[in-house]
Amino acid sequence: QSERLHKAYFEGLESPAETSARVEALAQEVLSAASEELATVLFVTHSKVLEAVLAKVFGKFYEGVHTSPGAFFVWSLSDENE
């Protein structure tokens, strides 16, 4: 699992772990900049980004994560997750 998460499909592309790290950093940045009234943020992206985050953040087997059109997940993030 760990080896696959850190290997890009093609040379010069991000690995799934790098993709997830970029999403995690953005989510933390949005959380840090958010006002107290901001309760929900919607990230819109494509399946491979969703799959990378599901695998890395939620500890799922990357090659076993498959999404279908319109897929989504709820990710609750707080300052306590740091």
Side-chain angles (χ1 to χ4, degrees):
Q1 166 68 6
S2 179
E3 182 179 320
R4 177 60 195 99
L5 276 174
H6 292 90
K7 183 176 182 188
Y9 279 116
F10 301 104
E11 187 176 329
L13 294 181
E14 285 183 321
S15 70
E18 291 168 326
T19 300
S20 183
R22 206 164 30 91
V23 172
E24 292 170 62
L26 176 62
Q28 192 61 51
E29 181 181 325
V30 169
L31 175 66
S32 296
S35 66
E36 290 185 17
E37 293 95 32
L38 182 66
T40 303
V41 175
L42 174 65
F43 291 97
V44 179
T45 188
H46 59 87
S47 62
K48 290 302 174 190
V49 174
L50 291 176
E51 292 166 4
V53 172
L54 286 168
K56 186 169 177 282
V57 173
F58 296 100
K60 303 299 181 186
F61 178 61
Y62 180 72
E63 294 295 343
V65 176
H66 300 286
T67 56
S68 58
F72 70 94
F73 64 88
V74 176
W75 180 14
S76 296
L77 185 67
S78 69
D79 287 328
E80 297 164 2
N81 292 107
E82 292 182 329

